[in-house]
């Protein structure tokens, strides 16, 4: 088009066509704007849905009575200021209580020195390791000490070996001035059942014990008629009490007092259930508020323009906000959440008053737990209803806006095709007009020339 743009008519037909297309593309521009808004709303709703789902998860945990049975364990030894020879870990089911015990033994693995034969019947000697009733045979690539060590250190042998350089002795046990090697073989697992023997050519090799394999052992209620002994092949003795494991690290001295295991309420953990509930609730409310508030801008003609946030006209989000505010502040069995530290503010947010919570928990921990559980149960149900991955109200809204984006994309594409066809038609029309004008100008020139020549001849 540019090659014949107004060449004959002098009209800038390209600019004229662009203006016509711009006028006719107004509808498409509106569709593009709607798509942009719908896409932004999808992104905003997805972000909100993630935060609501997080609230549902935390609230569901805080609503469970068992979550409020959090117990912590501490092992102490009266009369000492150092680290006790044991520690404890707790899991689900642990209950409040106290237990006294002594550490009688710490589990250890066997370590022995092995005197290798001076000669071997085979260039590739074999050794049989018997451990816990099972045997493993290893074969060295040669009679060299490094190859024998490598054979013992193979996978599945249950031992680790290293060569120790020692003085060679004569028949009277005196040093000869020469050196030789012995193997130090150490079991890879602790416990008496993991003691081992080593055989070669059908006979057991002599083992000089460095350390015996033994189980860990403790005595419960030492010095009383109810004393009980517990053993374990490892230093962790599981299930000493329901949901409690003990790990021993040092024996209790004979003249020392027994160790004491105290299982007490884990106040910091249960407090985090309440404070975390408030924090997650505020995240949701802040997300809604930030995307609802209006913004002010100035138009080209100087007018002040107030624009609502993405959620400003969303009735579903507004209802969710109002519901969360109500559920977080409504009384539970006549007790206000504010009485246990969950306080609603004038700006529509919540704060966790640590001092109020701590005082209430010290006075009546069961009452505090009941109130927080009640609030959490309400919020959990509402948050789950909104964020459910299949039928949640927010999820449904997201799907609806995604469908709208898809539809708008198809309509915009259709407008692209329509406008392209319209432009092509206008370009053909104006090109044809230019050609027609060119022919007419050519004919006019011919007639003018013809008439001029005719007048000269006459």
């Amino acid at each position: 088009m540019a090659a014949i743009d107004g060449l004959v008519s002098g009209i800038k037909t390209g600019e004229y066509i662009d203006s016509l297309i711009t006028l006719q593309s107004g509808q498409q521009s509106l569709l593009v704007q709607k798509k942009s808004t719908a896409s932004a709303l999808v992104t905003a709703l997805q972000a909100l849905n993630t935060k609501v789902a997080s609230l549902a998860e935390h609230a569901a945990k805080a609503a469970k009575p068992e979550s409020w049975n959090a117990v912590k364990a501490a092992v102490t030894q009266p009369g000492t200021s150092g680290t006790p020879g044991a520690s404890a870990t707790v899991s689900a089911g642990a209950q409040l209580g106290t237990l006294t015990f002594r550490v009688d033994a710490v589990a250890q693995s066997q370590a022995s020195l092995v005197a290798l034969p001076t000669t071997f019947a085979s260039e590739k000697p074999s050794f049989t390791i018997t451990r816990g009733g099972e045997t493993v045979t290893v074969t060295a690539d040669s009679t060299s000490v490094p190859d024998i060590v490598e054979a013992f250190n193979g996978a599945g042998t249950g031992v680790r070996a290293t060569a120790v350089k020692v003085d060679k002795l004569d028949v009277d046990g005196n040093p000869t001035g020469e050196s030789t090697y012995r193997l130090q073989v150490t079991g890879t697992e602790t416990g008496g059942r993991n003691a081992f023997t080593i055989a070669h050519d059908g006979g057991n090799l002599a083992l000089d014990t460095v350390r015996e394999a033994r189980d860990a052992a403790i005595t419960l209620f030492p010095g009383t008629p109810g004393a009980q002994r517990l053993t374990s092949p490892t230093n962790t003795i599981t299930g000493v009490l329901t949901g409690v494991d003990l790990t021993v690290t040092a024996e209790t001295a004979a003249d020392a007092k027994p160790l004491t295991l105290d299982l007490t309420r884990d106040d910091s953990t249960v407090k985090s259930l309440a404070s975390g509930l408030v924090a997650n609730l505020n995240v949701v409310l802040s997300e809604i508020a930030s995307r609802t508030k209006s913004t002010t801008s100035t138009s080209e003609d100087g007018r002040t323009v107030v624009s609502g946030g993405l959620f400003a006209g969303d009735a579903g989000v507004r209802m969710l906000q109002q519901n969360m505010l109500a559920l977080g502040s409504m009384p539970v069995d006549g007790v206000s959440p504010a009485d246990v530290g969950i306080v609603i503010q004038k700006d529509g947010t919540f704060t966790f008053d640590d001092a109020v919570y701590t005082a209430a928990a010290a006075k009546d921990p069961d009452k505090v737990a009941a109130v927080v559980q009640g609030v959490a149960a309400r919020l959990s149900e509402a948050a789950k209803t909104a964020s459910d991955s299949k039928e949640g109200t927010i999820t449904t809204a997201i799907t609806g806006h995604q469908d709208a984006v898809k539809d708008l994309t198809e309509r915009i594409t259709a407008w692209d095709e329509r406008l392209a066809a319209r432009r092509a038609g206008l370009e053909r029309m104006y090109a044809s007009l230019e050609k027609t004008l060119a022919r007419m100008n050519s004919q006019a020139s011919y007639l003018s020339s013809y008439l001029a020549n005719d007048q000269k001849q006459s």
Side-chain angles (χ1 to χ4, degrees):
M1 183 65 203
I4 59 172
D5 188 11
L7 289 176
V8 179
S9 65
I11 300 173
K12 295 182 179 180
T13 53
E15 294 181 4
Y16 188 59
I17 291 174
D18 288 342
S19 297
L20 290 174
I21 294 298
T22 299
L23 288 173
Q24 295 180 9
S25 65
Q27 184 64 33
Q28 186 191 43
S29 298
L30 291 175
L31 294 177
V32 171
Q33 185 177 357
K34 288 182 178 180
K35 177 185 174 181
S36 177
T37 301
S39 297
L41 193 51
V42 167
T43 301
L45 286 172
Q46 288 172 334
L48 175 62
N49 202 43
T50 299
K51 293 174 173 60
V52 174
S54 180
L55 170 62
E57 181 180 357
H58 184 90
K61 180 181 179 181
K64 295 178 180 178
E66 55 266 31
S67 297
W68 291 81
N69 294 329
V71 172
K72 62 180 179 180
V75 177
T76 58
Q77 188 170 18
T80 63
S81 58
T83 302
S87 60
T89 56
V90 296
S91 56
Q95 300 293 322
L96 305 182
T98 301
L99 178 72
T100 58
F101 65 98
R102 297 181 63 90
V103 180
D104 301 321
V106 175
Q108 59 186 28
S109 61
Q110 177 182 342
S112 300
L113 286 176
V114 182
L116 294 174
T118 55
T119 59
F120 293 95
S122 170
E123 293 182 355
K124 294 185 176 182
S126 295
F127 301 86
T128 299
I129 304 166
T130 302
R131 180 177 63 92
E134 298 181 356
T135 60
V136 176
T137 299
V138 298
T139 302
D141 290 338
S142 73
T143 60
S144 70
V145 172
D147 282 348
I148 294 174
V149 168
E150 184 177 354
F152 274 90
N153 291 339
T157 63
V159 297
R160 299 294 295 174
T162 185
V164 181
K165 190 175 183 179
V166 297
D167 287 336
K168 183 181 290 187
L169 305 177
D170 60 20
V171 293
D172 296 324
N174 299 314
T176 64
E178 298 179 0
S179 60
T180 186
Y181 286 92
R182 299 185 75 183
L183 294 188
Q184 178 177 304
V185 183
T186 304
T188 57
E189 297 182 54
T190 60
R193 67 187 183 191
N194 289 309
F196 59 83
T197 59
I198 301 174
H200 174 67
D201 283 346
N204 286 338
L205 296 177
L207 303 181
D208 292 336
T209 301
V210 175
R211 183 179 67 222
E212 292 183 350
R214 72 181 183 192
D215 292 342
I218 63 172
T219 298
L220 306 180
F221 317 110
T224 71
Q228 299 288 325
R229 185 175 172 85
L230 293 177
T231 61
S232 170
T234 70
N235 282 320
T236 297
I237 304 173
T238 59
V240 176
L241 295 173
T242 303
V244 181
D245 300 336
L246 280 177
T247 298
V248 299
T249 55
E251 296 178 10
T252 305
D255 58 349
K257 292 183 178 181
L259 283 69
T260 300
L261 167 64
D262 288 312
L263 299 171
T264 57
R265 184 189 297 273
D266 190 347
D267 292 330
S268 62
T269 295
V270 295
K271 181 190 291 186
S272 69
L273 294 173
S275 62
L277 182 67
V278 173
N280 278 272
L281 176 57
N282 270 338
V283 166
V284 172
L285 295 174
S286 296
E287 180 73 8
I288 295 174
S290 66
R291 296 186 182 276
T292 302
K293 67 180 180 181
S294 301
T295 57
T296 302
S297 60
T298 304
S299 64
E300 294 181 357
D301 59 5
R303 292 182 299 108
T304 299
V305 179
V306 179
S307 303
L310 283 172
F311 293 160
D314 194 310
V317 172
R318 184 169 61 253
M319 288 181 62
L320 174 65
Q321 180 186 37
Q322 294 171 351
N323 199 25
M324 292 294 176
L325 289 170
L327 296 177
S329 58
M330 288 169 50
V332 176
D333 294 331
V335 181
S336 170
D339 292 341
V340 298
I342 302 176
V343 185
I344 188 170
Q345 304 296 306
K346 293 181 180 179
D347 62 355
T349 61
F350 286 82
T351 59
F352 178 72
D353 193 320
D354 189 283
V356 171
Y357 174 90
T358 302
K363 182 178 180 181
D364 191 344
D366 292 337
K367 175 182 175 181
V368 171
V371 173
V372 178
Q373 287 174 39
V375 174
R378 296 187 309 223
L379 290 173
S380 173
E381 183 64 27
K384 183 179 179 181
T385 299
S387 64
D388 183 79
S389 60
K390 294 182 179 179
E391 300 179 353
T393 54
I394 300 177
T395 304
T396 302
I398 291 171
T399 302
H401 289 298
Q402 287 175 330
D403 290 342
V405 170
K406 181 180 179 182
D407 177 65
L408 289 166
T409 300
E410 293 174 352
R411 293 169 64 184
I412 290 169
T413 300
W415 265 101
D416 285 337
E417 296 171 354
R418 187 183 308 172
L419 292 172
R422 179 58 174 159
R423 177 181 289 278
L426 290 171
E427 288 175 348
R428 287 195 301 270
M429 182 183 72
Y430 283 104
S432 177
L433 288 174
E434 292 289 334
K435 291 178 181 179
T436 300
L437 286 173
R439 287 197 302 270
M440 292 176 65
N441 288 342
S442 177
Q443 291 175 355
S445 296
Y446 171 78
L447 290 174
S448 296
S449 176
Y450 176 81
L451 293 173
N453 288 332
D454 185 61
Q455 289 176 353
K456 288 179 180 180
Q457 292 176 1
S458 57

